[in-house]
């Protein structure tokens, strides 16, 4: 059989890492939102032992969007990238096609397979990262709808050309109310343009769609099967999320070959979790990688990383590993080790030294403005007479002339009083933020948040229960406490 896996990693360089991908053991692993452009692609990301990879880069912004498909050598594709049969593109202007293809949101690999009936045919895998539709920005909704139409045209044209097609990726729309933690008004929910597109694109019994949601085919009524959660509210803890990630197979392939479809919420590393489908069919690998494989890029030709390299702990401060230039464009290796031991510029002290110096003032009589006795009020290094450091002067006098100690007692008392008043002043200035109220249900300090949506309350701050959102029956979920921040609000 074969394991097809999809995962929005929310950044390949800072995300779960390729060691985590190897543990998932997918024959074809489709990653979205890699945030890697050609100039940021390094050998450890592109060249992994046992896999050949295919990247699509955003051409309009650096560190944005992007997808990558990793194929096991036993699933080496026949072709990659532009695999023809993209259907009638007459409905799109050249400018629209350039905009839709310019963000690196899709990569295609074309494979030979052998079905469970021992018939050899082809399978085209479309790895896709669909754009998000922001309801507050109509142009984003229109862009998403155009992208869906183009995706559908290409997938159906490939299907008509023969063989099978699977679409894996972040579709960025929850299809049914069961796929959303807060669907709200059902009529408004179903009128969403992305959901209307999915209604026509996907097959249901007695329906016309050509593709099948593999998870819902096997689990039509499973609730709370979410794949994406908000990180800032901790919603993953209470499974308060949405299902945005899909494996969509053509109807004939799904009905004949689908064996399992699962969501893997236990896998950490991103605000999304992986989803996978297992088919009874097997791959028939090509004898060599197609030209668009990353191993054919000039900067990577002749290099290959071992997957075990990512499973072995590397001591901090190590330089380039294996002679492959791990520091290239990555900010690691010798540059990082030098940064760890770098010396601060002259005149710039670290915070720990600052507080040590502040503690020393109480015993050594440093000036009340936090300046050493060798500096004047302007901060320059001109030496001042001894009376600017009364504590120090008193100690020296007491040591050199014991009979004068009684005369110095009032001066020492005055210095201590000055220091105490200075400390009280700083306590008043640095008293910190106002303590938040506690929610009545849990008696726990609330979280301070800011209104981000446009409107009359934009920018206002408010307090809510700090626990993550969730179902009312979940004791771990937040309560409904709300209070505006600032004076005059109760």
């Amino acid at each position: 059989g074969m394991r097809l896996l999809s995962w929005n990693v929310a950044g390949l360089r800072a995300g779960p890492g390729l060691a985590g991908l190897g543990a998932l053991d997918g024959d074809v692993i489709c990653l979205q939102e890699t945030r890697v452009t050609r100039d940021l692609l390094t050998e450890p990301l592109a060249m992994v032992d046992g896999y050949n990879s295919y990247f699509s880069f955003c051409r309009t912004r650096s560190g944005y969007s992007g997808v990558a498909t990793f194929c096991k050598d036993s699933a080496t594709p026949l072709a990659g990238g532009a695999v023809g049969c993209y259907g009638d593109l007459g409905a799109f202007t050249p400018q629209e096609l350039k905009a839709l293809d310019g963000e690196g949101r899709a990569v295609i690999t074309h494979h030979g397979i052998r079905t469970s009936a021992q018939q050899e045919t082809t399978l085209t895998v479309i790895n896709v990262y669909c754009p998000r539709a922001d309801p507050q920005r109509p142009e984003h909704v229109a862009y998403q709808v155009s992208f869906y139409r183009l995706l559908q045209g290409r997938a159906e044209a490939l299907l008509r050309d023969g063989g099978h097609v699977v679409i894996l990726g972040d579709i960025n729309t929850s299809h049914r109310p069961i796929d959303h933690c807060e669907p709200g008004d059902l009529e408004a929910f179903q009128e969403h343009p992305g959901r209307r597109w999915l209604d026509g694109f996907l097959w249901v019994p007695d329906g016309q769609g050509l593709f099948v949601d593999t998870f819902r085919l096997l689990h039509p009524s499973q609730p709370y099967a979410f794949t994406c959660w908000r990180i800032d509210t901790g919603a993953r803890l209470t499974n308060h999320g949405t299902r945005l990630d899909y494996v969509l197979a053509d109807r004939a392939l799904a009905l004949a070959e689908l064996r399992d479809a699962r969501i893997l919420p236990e896998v950490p590393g991103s605000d999304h979790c992986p989803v996978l489908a297992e088919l009874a069919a097997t791959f028939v690998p090509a004898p060599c990688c197609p030209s668009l494989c990353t191993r054919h890029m000039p900067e990577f030709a002749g290099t290959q990383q071992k997957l075990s390299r990512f499973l072995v702990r590397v001591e901090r401060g190590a330089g380039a590993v294996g002679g492959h230039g791990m520091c290239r464009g990555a900010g690691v290796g010798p540059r990082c080790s030098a940064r760890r031991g770098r010396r601060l510029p002259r005149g710039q002290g670290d915070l720990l030294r600052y507080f040590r110096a502040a503690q020393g003032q109480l015993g050594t009589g440093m000036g009340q403005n936090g300046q050493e006795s060798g500096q004047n009020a302007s901060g320059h290094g001109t030496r001042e007479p001894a009376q600017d450091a009364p504590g120090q002067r008193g100690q020296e006098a007491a040591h050199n002339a014991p009979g004068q100690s009684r005369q110095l007692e009032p001066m020492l008392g005055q210095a201590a009083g000055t220091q105490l008043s200075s400390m009280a002043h700083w306590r008043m200035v640095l008293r910190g933020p106002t303590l938040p109220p506690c929610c009545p249900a849990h008696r726990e300090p609330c979280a301070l948040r800011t209104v981000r949506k446009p409107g009359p309350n934009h920018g206002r701050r408010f307090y809510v229960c700090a626990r993550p959102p969730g179902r009312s029956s979940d004791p771990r979920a937040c309560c409904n406490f709300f209070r505006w921040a600032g004076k005059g609000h109760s």
Side-chain angles (χ1 to χ4, degrees):
M2 65 175 67
R3 286 168 58 95
L4 307 178
L5 187 136
S6 174
W7 195 4
N8 180 321
V9 293
L12 187 56
R13 293 177 297 155
L18 296 178
L21 300 181
L24 296 173
D25 193 33
D27 294 292
V28 173
I29 301 175
C30 297
L31 307 179
Q32 301 86 42
E33 203 175 354
T34 60
R35 302 177 188 172
V36 173
T37 44
R38 177 73 178 266
D39 60 310
L40 299 176
L41 185 63
T42 58
E43 292 170 10
L45 297 180
M47 310 297 296
V48 178
D49 184 52
Y51 286 84
N52 46 90
S53 60
Y54 307 83
F55 281 74
S56 181
F57 309 108
C58 179
R59 296 192 294 272
T60 59
R61 295 167 57 182
S62 180
Y64 176 74
S65 187
V67 295
T69 297
F70 285 79
C71 304
K72 274 188 177 180
D73 290 340
S74 58
T76 299
L78 303 168
V83 189
C85 299
Y86 282 169
D88 183 13
L89 302 181
F92 301 92
T93 66
Q95 292 77 13
E96 288 176 323
L97 290 175
K98 183 178 180 181
L100 292 170
D101 277 336
E103 293 187 348
R105 293 185 175 271
V107 67
I108 298 175
T109 52
H110 193 60
H111 304 259
I113 65 169
R114 184 176 294 109
T115 68
S116 57
Q118 299 304 307
Q119 294 179 341
E120 292 200 4
T121 182
T122 59
L123 172 65
T124 300
V125 175
I126 303 178
N127 176 5
V128 66
Y129 175 41
C130 297
R132 186 178 74 89
D134 185 347
Q136 306 297 328
R137 304 181 67 176
E139 69 276 11
H140 284 199
V141 177
Y143 183 81
Q144 184 192 57
V145 171
S146 296
F147 190 91
Y148 285 151
R149 288 170 48 222
L150 182 59
L151 173 62
Q152 180 173 356
R154 289 174 169 174
E156 293 180 350
L158 287 163
L159 193 59
R160 287 192 300 267
D161 192 53
H164 296 289
V165 178
V166 174
I167 302 169
L168 298 93
D170 181 355
I171 304 299
N172 243 325
T173 296
S174 53
H175 186 202
R176 304 289 188 195
I178 195 175
D179 300 318
H180 200 292
C181 62
E182 295 180 358
D185 180 75
L186 295 184
E187 183 176 352
F189 182 88
Q190 293 167 351
E191 285 301 308
H192 185 280
R195 297 185 181 100
R196 291 207 308 266
W197 172 77
L198 281 170
D199 286 340
F201 184 64
L202 296 181
W203 174 84
V204 292
D206 302 325
Q208 300 298 319
L210 299 180
F211 286 83
V212 174
D213 179 350
T214 57
F215 181 81
R216 285 298 174 206
L217 181 64
L218 299 184
H219 314 282
S221 58
Q222 181 176 332
Y224 315 123
F226 304 137
T227 66
C228 180
W229 306 265
R230 286 185 58 176
I231 291 180
D232 59 339
T233 62
R236 192 165 188 167
L237 175 66
T238 53
N239 192 26
H240 196 71
T242 54
R243 190 170 75 97
L244 305 179
D245 305 86
Y246 300 78
V247 179
L248 309 176
D250 71 79
R251 183 173 56 192
L253 181 68
L255 295 179
E257 304 292 333
L258 183 63
R259 294 294 178 265
D260 193 13
R262 283 181 285 146
I263 292 170
L264 306 176
E266 69 278 4
V267 179
S270 170
D271 57 340
H272 292 246
C273 74
V275 298
L276 70 85
E278 293 185 0
L279 305 178
T282 57
F283 283 106
V284 178
C288 59
C289 297
S291 60
L292 291 178
C293 179
T294 52
R295 69 177 57 173
H296 296 312
M297 292 181 178
E299 59 266 42
F300 303 133
T303 63
Q304 185 80 354
Q305 296 288 329
K306 295 287 185 181
L307 187 60
S308 59
R309 166 65 183 83
F310 300 95
L311 302 174
V312 178
R313 180 178 178 183
V314 179
E315 295 298 329
R316 293 183 62 185
V321 178
H324 291 309
M326 295 283 288
C327 296
R328 182 186 304 174
V332 297
R335 290 176 59 189
C336 283
S337 61
R339 190 181 295 114
R340 288 175 53 216
R342 68 186 179 92
R343 307 181 69 176
L344 295 172
R346 291 189 62 185
Q348 181 179 348
D350 62 77
L351 197 60
L352 185 60
R353 288 179 56 194
Y354 175 83
F355 281 109
R356 284 174 178 165
Q359 292 174 353
Q361 291 180 21
L362 299 178
T364 60
M366 291 179 66
Q368 67 181 25
N369 293 326
Q371 300 164 344
E372 295 184 9
S373 59
Q375 292 183 336
N376 60 20
S378 64
H380 297 293
T382 305
R383 289 285 178 181
E384 294 292 327
Q387 60 265 27
D388 284 344
Q392 182 179 354
R393 177 181 171 182
Q395 292 171 356
E396 292 176 355
H399 176 72
N400 295 328
Q404 301 178 9
S405 59
R406 292 182 180 181
Q407 299 177 9
L408 295 175
E409 287 179 359
M411 297 180 64
L412 292 173
Q414 182 181 2
T418 302
Q419 289 171 349
L420 290 174
S421 63
S422 177
M423 292 171 63
H425 171 75
W426 281 111
R427 285 196 188 101
M428 181 179 66
V429 173
L430 303 176
R431 60 176 176 240
T434 304
L435 292 177
C438 292
C439 65
H442 305 110
R443 303 292 182 183
E444 297 171 353
C446 291
L448 181 62
R449 305 196 187 284
T450 304
V451 178
R452 302 297 183 189
K453 291 184 178 181
N457 290 322
H458 179 76
R460 290 184 66 182
R461 299 194 297 173
F462 59 93
Y463 292 106
V464 293
C465 178
R467 293 195 177 194
R471 298 179 293 278
S472 58
S473 60
D474 190 340
R476 301 170 300 176
C478 64
C479 61
N480 294 324
F481 178 81
F482 174 91
R483 179 187 295 175
W484 289 111
K487 296 181 180 180
H489 298 291
S490 60

